[in-house]
Amino acid sequence: MSVQADPPCLSPRRRQVVALTALGLDPYEIADELGISAGGARSHLRDARISAGTVTERALTYYVLAGKDVDLSRLPKPPTGLLDELTCLVLRGLRYDVADKELATTIARASDMPVGVVEEALDNVRSTMGLSDCGLLGLAFAAGILCGREGVSPPPGSVPVPAAPDIKSGTYQPIPPGRPFLQQSRPRPAPRPRPLVADPLKLLPEGLPAQKTDTRRPFRYLRGSTAVAGNDVQPVRVGVEVCRDVLQRLHDDKVPPLQWGPVLASSEGRYTVFMLRPGSLPDQWRYAGSRVLRHGTVLHLPPHTTTSGPLYWAVPPAVWWNPDTLMPLITGETPQRTRHAKE
């Protein structure tokens, strides 16, 4: 299936929702931006995908980006050297209309590369930019890697899904003879299986129940793909062992996990970051390897539901850390039992 000059007609609202996925926003962030519910955002994406006749949201996003009417200036700038020849080749393969589990294999087969090389390149660009695959498609268009003339292609040997007819509202269409009046509704796609909650660094104490991250709304400053130290948050970088000890002591003191503040962890860099409200600590605060990150440092943030991977939330961003409770735990003192302030 190739992208036509005039892609399937979508309503302005559906096109707007799909355009926001090209900026890397998830349904919760889209709902906050448009003032609708997350379920409504998912319904718009599902209906738009059915209208366009695509299997994946990636192909649907490609259709909208090919129209060249999406403002991509909000996407983060890629670091120097990230978009090398191999990464650009892999990003071009995001236009294939295949299931996520078959994406790396399809790109490797089309580019004559090992599957492991493609998977490593995809993981690297996903973790570095903190974007979904739809957001990476927007990045590819913003960087000129894709231009809209390549086309959305299914895997070799597959049968393309025909696009649904564009039926205008209010148009009378008689029922053909012999066709029953009541028709069975189109079955909804099966929900995607949620990945198991994983903690690569084993920061959370044993016996702690898995937190339902999709029910906890993040802070306004932690809903995007980046945050600026000193302006949006005040991040305190600590070692893995210190972080593990702090969370264990909170668990031993029977502090409910819903009162714990955000903890951002990097399984590759072997560090953790506690997120405090801006202005909670002096800019030059240091203690035994723990320090406040310099003002202006840009933090790349994964989606607030990401609980595993190279960059993940060990504790989702829902409540600010209270410095009166957190800092004594980092320095090994007895913390003051104060309630955590909410946003």
Side-chain angles (χ1 to χ4, degrees):
M1 183 192 311
S2 300
V3 171
Q4 306 167 1
D6 186 13
C9 180
L10 300 177
S11 66
R13 174 62 87 181
R14 292 178 184 174
R15 186 174 293 273
Q16 186 180 23
V17 171
V18 178
L20 290 177
T21 64
L23 302 179
L25 275 64
D26 60 22
Y28 289 100
E29 297 165 338
I30 294 174
D32 290 338
E33 181 132 345
L34 300 182
I36 60 178
S37 65
R42 293 192 188 95
S43 297
H44 282 309
L45 289 173
R46 183 187 65 245
D47 296 341
R49 182 172 52 80
I50 294 174
S51 298
T54 61
V55 178
T56 61
E57 291 182 6
R58 282 184 286 100
L60 174 64
T61 305
Y62 185 95
Y63 268 123
V64 175
L65 288 171
K68 302 184 182 302
D69 56 352
V70 180
D71 182 13
L72 301 175
S73 60
R74 294 170 53 184
L75 285 170
K77 300 297 182 182
T80 304
L82 175 64
L83 301 181
D84 53 11
E85 183 177 357
L86 173 61
T87 303
C88 292
L89 186 62
V90 171
L91 289 179
R92 291 190 190 99
L94 293 176
R95 60 189 176 87
Y96 291 118
D97 194 11
V98 295
D100 293 339
K101 62 180 180 181
E102 302 174 3
L103 178 61
T105 305
T106 304
I107 297 176
R109 185 169 59 248
S111 307
D112 195 17
M113 291 189 302
V115 178
V117 174
V118 175
E119 292 178 343
E120 183 179 358
L122 281 173
D123 292 340
N124 179 47
V125 70
R126 286 166 179 163
S127 60
T128 302
M129 298 304 301
L131 295 173
S132 62
D133 286 352
C134 294
L136 293 180
L137 266 175
L139 178 67
F141 271 82
I145 300 173
L146 292 172
C147 62
R149 293 192 297 268
E150 298 84 0
V152 174
S153 303
S158 63
V159 178
V161 180
D166 185 17
I167 302 176
K168 297 181 180 180
S169 59
T171 302
Y172 171 73
Q173 292 187 347
I175 301 176
R179 183 177 178 183
F181 179 74
L182 295 177
Q183 298 290 326
Q184 184 178 4
S185 60
R186 180 178 302 202
R188 293 188 176 184
R192 296 182 179 179
R194 291 187 176 273
L196 297 177
V197 176
D199 183 17
L201 298 182
K202 305 299 182 184
L203 298 175
L204 301 178
E206 295 184 3
L208 187 67
Q211 303 180 49
K212 296 182 179 179
T213 56
D214 55 342
T215 61
R216 303 181 65 186
R217 304 303 300 276
F219 295 127
R220 176 167 59 94
Y221 296 124
L222 298 181
R223 291 176 187 169
S225 58
T226 59
V228 180
N231 295 336
D232 302 332
V233 298
Q234 189 162 42
V236 179
R237 178 170 176 168
V238 302
V240 175
E241 295 299 330
V242 175
C243 177
R244 189 179 294 118
D245 180 67
V246 168
L247 298 183
Q248 183 64 53
R249 291 183 63 182
L250 287 173
H251 181 64
D252 296 340
D253 292 343
K254 295 182 172 25
V255 177
L258 292 179
Q259 296 183 11
W260 297 6
V263 178
L264 183 65
S266 171
S267 57
E268 291 182 350
R270 306 292 294 176
Y271 66 85
T272 59
V273 179
F274 290 95
M275 300 291 187
L276 283 77
R277 187 188 302 273
S280 301
L281 295 173
D283 292 339
Q284 304 298 326
W285 185 90
R286 291 176 177 270
Y287 180 83
S290 306
R291 64 183 179 87
V292 172
L293 295 184
R294 185 169 51 187
H295 184 90
T297 301
V298 178
L299 299 174
H300 294 280
L301 305 177
H304 71 280
T305 56
T306 302
T307 55
S308 62
L311 192 66
Y312 69 99
W313 290 106
V315 180
V319 180
W320 289 117
W321 281 108
N322 189 321
D324 296 335
T325 302
L326 176 63
M327 306 322 292
L329 289 172
I330 295 178
T331 58
E333 302 173 1
T334 302
Q336 303 178 15
R337 299 303 299 272
T338 57
R339 297 189 64 182
H340 294 255
K342 294 186 178 181
E343 186 182 24

